[in-house]
Amino acid sequence: MAERMGDRDARAQLQEPPEGGPVTGKFGVLLVDGPSMAPTLAHGDRLLCHYGARVRAGSVVVAQHPLRQDLLVVKRAVERRPAGWWLLSDNSAVESDSRDYGPVPEGLILGRVLLRYAPKPAWLAPPPWCLGALRVMPYGMARRLGDFRRA
C-alpha cells in the first residue's frame, strides 16, 4: 500500500493524477505503507511515480486494487495477460496480489515507480538499453541502479 505524502489519515492513498485516470507526463510522490514489496521496498520508503508511463514486465507499478478501488497498491508487474497485468508482491509471504484477485485491468494501472529517493536512493526503472551493462556489474551496484532480477 502507499499513501499521499503529508496525509497521515489516508493510510492507503497516494497522490493521484487529476480526475479521469492517469495522465502521461505527470509525476507523483508516494510513501510505502506495509511489507508487501520487501526487500525491494520497505515501510516508510519514499517513491517517485510516473503516471501514465508504459508498463513492461518487471516494472514496479502503482495500481488501484481491483476489488477496493479506494485502495492503491504498489506491486511488480510480472506479465501481461488477456484480462490485464498479473501483479505480484516481492515478499512472497504476503498474498494480497494477483494470486488473490487475479489480473488487474490495464485501466487500473496508474503508473510506474521510477525511483526510491529516501531513505536509500535507488533507481527502480532502468531503461532497456542499459540492462546489458547492469548484468556485468557487481550485484550490489546493479541493484542500486535498478537490476532486481538476479538472485
Side-chain angles (χ1 to χ4, degrees):
M1 290 190 300
E3 69 181 34
R4 182 178 19 221
M5 291 296 295
D7 187 1
R8 300 187 195 280
D9 295 331
R11 293 195 58 210
Q13 303 218 357
L14 57 107
Q15 183 178 346
E16 292 184 52
E19 292 282 327
V23 178
T24 302
K26 298 285 184 178
F27 294 89
V29 174
L30 305 137
L31 180 64
V32 175
D33 182 17
S36 72
M37 287 299 291
T40 306
L41 300 172
H43 178 79
D45 283 355
R46 289 169 179 79
L47 312 174
L48 178 67
C49 176
H50 184 194
Y51 294 112
R54 188 172 146 252
V55 176
R56 60 181 182 262
S59 298
V60 177
V61 299
V62 178
Q64 290 177 303
H65 193 290
L67 304 176
R68 288 187 47 208
Q69 293 186 9
D70 60 325
L71 177 66
L72 298 166
V73 295
V74 176
K75 301 290 179 195
R76 188 167 306 275
V78 177
E79 66 181 7
R80 182 77 177 88
R81 295 189 175 182
W85 280 96
W86 192 258
L87 303 182
L88 292 178
S89 302
D90 282 1
N91 182 350
S92 60
V94 176
E95 293 184 4
S96 61
D97 55 22
S98 286
R99 293 173 289 177
D100 286 338
Y101 46 75
V104 177
E106 189 85 30
L108 296 181
I109 306 293
L110 297 178
R112 190 171 77 212
V113 175
L114 299 178
L115 58 95
R116 175 182 57 222
Y117 67 87
K120 291 173 138 184
W123 190 12
L124 299 175
W129 57 265
C130 77
L131 293 177
L134 292 173
R135 298 267 188 262
V136 298
M137 287 182 181
Y139 178 66
M141 182 182 294
R143 186 172 172 85
R144 289 285 290 223
L145 295 173
D147 184 11
F148 294 96
R149 292 182 262 196
R150 293 192 279 175

